[in-house]
Amino acid sequence: MEFEAIPGVGEKTAEALSELDDAERALADGDVAALARAPGLTEGRAAAIARGAIRRRHDDDGRFLATDRAREVYRDVLSLLRERTVTTYAEKRLETFFPTASASRIEEVRAFTESAMERDPDPAVLAALDGVEPLEPASGIRVRERCLATADAERYAAAKEAFPELSVEVVEDARGLSELARSYATVVALDEAFAGVDVEGDVRVRPDAAEHPDEIVPERVLAFFAQNRERIRAAADVHEAAELDASCDLDSLRDALSRLDDDGTIVGDEELDRLTNAVDDVDAAVSTAESVANDHLRDAIRERDVTIEGTDFLSLVEQGARVDSLLSRELEDQYADAVATAREHLIESLSLRPEEADIATRVFSDDPSFPVDYDEELVSRLRSELKAGRDRRAVRLKRELAADLSALREPVGEMVSNALELDVELAVSRFARDFDCVMPTFTDGDTAPGTGFAIEGGQSPLLDVSFEAAEPVDYGVSGVTLLSGVNSGGKTSTLDLVALVVVLAQMGLPVPAERVELERFSELHYYAKSQGTLDAGAFESTLRDFRELVDGESNRLVLVDELESITEPGASAKIIAGILEALDDQAATAVFVSHLADEIREAAGFTVAVDGIEAVGLENGELVVNRSPVKDHLARSTPELIVEKLAGEDGSGFYDRLLEKF
């Protein structure tokens, strides 16, 4: 794939993407987590790149959200969806969903949505999802008890690059290998020429090492699973709670993970534990055994009457004879018992095997001495033998476990990915359930532009009241329409509902309504209410925006909230009338909220439809409003309602005369 062809991807980003093993798959799937593993890419940037790839695949120009207010509505939609995710991944993944005019993209997401809406957001599944995160590559691995050896310079350079976790040494012959074997628990010779060489120590000839990295450095696999262990376990729990088909046997997976510690070491093997403890305890055990022997011999001496003949005494005094000879003659049996006790203590405290016990037995000499002492060289040899045994055992167990886990790596990646994608689906499902959503129906707007939209029982989750308290709204528009109504009657909320429904529908997502039918609009232009009359420069800029609006695409949706506030009412009505005429000529769908409906109709060169949000009266100073716009009806204003109320309460005729003015 030509990465630089993706909108927003330059040379450096393309280079970063090329370092990923599965960049094309990640771009096709919108896999933000995988893309974020590229060097220098944040999750936010990865989401933007995924969006760009989707737009390119579906030939989307990214112009659907044509105004700031339209983009605000989209951000509000994303917020509602993200609030219903559990994982950070799902939050970012939802950013790859966007409103579009592309029929293929809408249908692609609709297929996903229809499946997602069938998902049950079980609390147990949501709880399990809390521990799921994208898998991270292993890092910081360094193996010191193993090395690679070669006599070839090119092979040396290749090995340094392929195995950064290991030391790579240059050797010339078998003697060099032998010297390395004394320094490392395992030496892996890379040259075929070393095959058959008899060298003491654990030396393995593996010319194919680069083809089997997990066998040479099993720590890679183990570190990966150790660092991701809790995430994998959480994903397994999700599959069980959601009754999903797992890509591997979960019991076998959990068993393999249970043999792995947080730092990637092997746990649960009794023999390895024995050797590890023996290495750690050897010095303390020898010291204790020495004390046991001396205490035993000291007690024996105290309890024994020893007669020293005169010649022996003179020999001790004149010749400096050692007490060993006296011990040998007088306390030979007691010394033997003391040494035997020391040896037995050492062997038992370290749980030594017979082959290891042979060295331990020689740590304490059979030659009598007091105090009893041990041989430092033999203690060092015992320690080395135990370390070598421990390391050999650990490496063998690592290889065995790494082999088991290597076979699970791809299935585990798929399982975690499926769990994360489930969170995306459940967010859509929860959204649909929380807001009583349905899938909208699209009309064939390509052949019949201007068919507009029809909403039945629409409820906006963007209001300042709870969703349950929001009054359902029925509203449909085809062509160009003015929307009239009292202040605070819900005109702006109606525009927000229309924008929300259209944005969701053209994202391919469900909409909060009982039924929605709409054409597939090419662009959404939503202009929010201006704050006060604009100065000359701002007014000119606004007119330029509308100049661009009335050119081009025929099936745009245009929503405008009280455009008359940009300048004087008389001029506003004429300007709005002209804009409506242009939109009508291009068969656009448009809803303009205005208090100048009469003036605009009078200025327009065609019959402008007017709908009204009708206030049915006042109760305790509060408006009582029918929130669904009435078709072909100019709604009364708030002042008219107040005058009407006063006329009914007062018989002077003053308010009646005022009412006639309306």
Side-chain angles (χ1 to χ4, degrees), residues 90-258:
E91 286 190 34
K92 296 300 181 183
R93 174 78 167 87
L94 284 168
E95 293 181 15
T96 65
F97 293 79
F98 52 86
T100 176
S102 167
S104 60
R105 173 57 180 172
I106 293 172
E107 287 306 313
E108 182 177 77
V109 179
R110 280 174 67 92
F112 166 87
T113 300
E114 288 167 355
S115 174
M117 290 173 67
E118 296 178 1
R119 296 287 190 190
D120 177 19
D122 188 322
V125 177
L126 299 178
L129 277 167
D130 191 43
V132 184
E133 296 181 54
L135 300 177
E136 294 289 343
S139 60
I141 305 170
R142 185 65 186 171
V143 182
R144 303 188 183 280
E145 71 272 11
R146 195 176 321 125
C147 76
L148 303 175
T150 179
D152 184 82
E154 290 185 8
R155 198 172 287 122
Y156 170 85
K160 291 282 284 185
E161 183 176 353
F163 297 98
E165 307 91 344
L166 302 178
S167 294
V168 184
E169 307 289 347
V170 176
V171 294
E172 295 181 358
D173 49 29
R175 178 180 297 178
L177 275 181
S178 180
E179 290 177 358
L180 285 178
R182 286 195 289 270
S183 301
Y184 292 93
T186 302
V187 177
V188 179
L190 303 178
D191 303 347
E192 186 70 44
F194 288 121
V197 174
D198 186 15
V199 177
E200 185 177 350
D202 186 11
V203 177
R204 303 168 182 230
V205 180
R206 292 296 301 270
D208 62 344
E211 300 169 19
H212 303 278
D214 290 348
E215 296 179 19
I216 305 303
V217 192
E219 290 83 358
R220 283 184 187 177
V221 178
L222 301 184
F224 170 80
F225 277 90
Q227 291 179 22
N228 292 289
R229 183 169 57 174
E230 296 311 312
R231 303 176 185 199
I232 295 169
R233 284 175 170 165
D237 292 343
V238 167
H239 277 66
E240 284 186 337
E243 298 182 354
L244 300 178
D245 291 332
S247 49
C248 61
D249 182 76
L250 297 184
D251 289 337
S252 298
L253 172 62
R254 289 191 175 105
D255 176 68
L257 292 176
S258 70

Side-chain angles (χ1 to χ4, degrees), residues 480-503:
V480 175
T481 300
L482 290 170
L483 180 58
S484 63
V486 295
N487 291 328
S488 302
K491 299 185 297 299
T492 298
S493 297
T494 299
L495 289 190
D496 285 347
L497 174 64
V498 172
L500 173 76
V501 165
V502 171
V503 165

